[in-house]
Amino acid sequence: GFFEWTPGNKTALGVSSKITHADLDEGRLQPRFRHSHGFFGRAALGKLFVLSAEGNFLFESARENPWKMGTSALLQLNFEPTQGFVVQGTGEFYCPNFRGGSACQVAAWGTVNWYLGPHIDLRLDFIHDRATVGASASNKLLLQLHYFL
């Protein structure tokens, strides 16, 4: 669940929490609990910009294995120069397990999103990501057309 507080017309702050259980985790073939507990916030910076941030603490447990503890975070700036045309910059951080030596990952996204009509949008993403330990960077270009009812 989550709780969101809006102290003014241009800001929102909140917390979220989720715990899931799988009787048989298909990746590890054993029962598993996963937890995600975090905070988020949004603020309108004038009429054209919105800043969003999110941070989560991640926990994972199974009977035979010790707890894994990690974190994830996101920071995003949206710019809407005209209605229906949005430019976004996003930074992401993910570290699945502080104690187990897992590689943390960072990514940067540049997005252009054009809302063509009430139920259709065209989106172009440039994604640059890299594991902070041991891996080289990768770049991706992703074009998406969304139509929904």
Side-chain angles (χ1 to χ4, degrees):
F2 74 93
F3 173 79
E4 182 174 275
W5 174 53
T6 51
N9 320 3
K10 297 184 177 191
T11 57
L13 301 169
V15 293
S16 63
S17 182
K18 184 173 186 174
I19 300 173
T20 62
H21 178 264
D23 287 332
L24 185 62
D25 180 285
E26 50 183 68
R28 294 183 177 87
L29 301 177
Q30 59 182 315
R32 181 160 310 274
F33 278 97
R34 287 192 174 95
H35 304 241
S36 177
H37 310 288
F39 59 91
F40 58 89
R42 288 184 309 281
L45 308 174
K47 294 187 179 202
L48 303 178
F49 292 93
V50 174
L51 182 65
S52 303
E54 177 182 334
N56 293 287
F57 298 100
L58 309 172
F59 305 95
E60 187 176 317
S61 65
R63 279 190 204 146
E64 293 82 30
N65 298 329
W67 279 80
K68 291 183 180 180
M69 294 183 289
T71 189
S72 66
L74 176 132
L75 182 65
Q76 184 175 69
L77 181 65
N78 292 1
F79 171 58
E80 189 171 4
T82 186
Q83 185 175 3
F85 187 77
V86 179
V87 178
Q88 298 171 317
T90 304
E92 297 177 308
F93 174 80
Y94 171 61
C95 195
N97 189 10
F98 292 133
R99 299 187 307 171
S102 297
C104 298
Q105 300 171 350
V106 293
W109 293 58
T111 302
V112 176
N113 204 348
W114 183 21
Y115 295 88
L116 303 167
H119 298 281
I120 189 166
D121 69 274
L122 183 64
R123 177 177 172 148
L124 179 66
D125 292 301
F126 173 76
I127 307 155
H128 176 81
D129 61 356
R130 99 179 272 127
T132 56
V133 178
S136 60
S138 69
N139 295 309
K140 301 170 192 86
L141 196 59
L142 176 64
L143 179 64
Q144 303 173 64
L145 178 64
H146 300 131
Y147 177 77
F148 53 95
L149 301 176

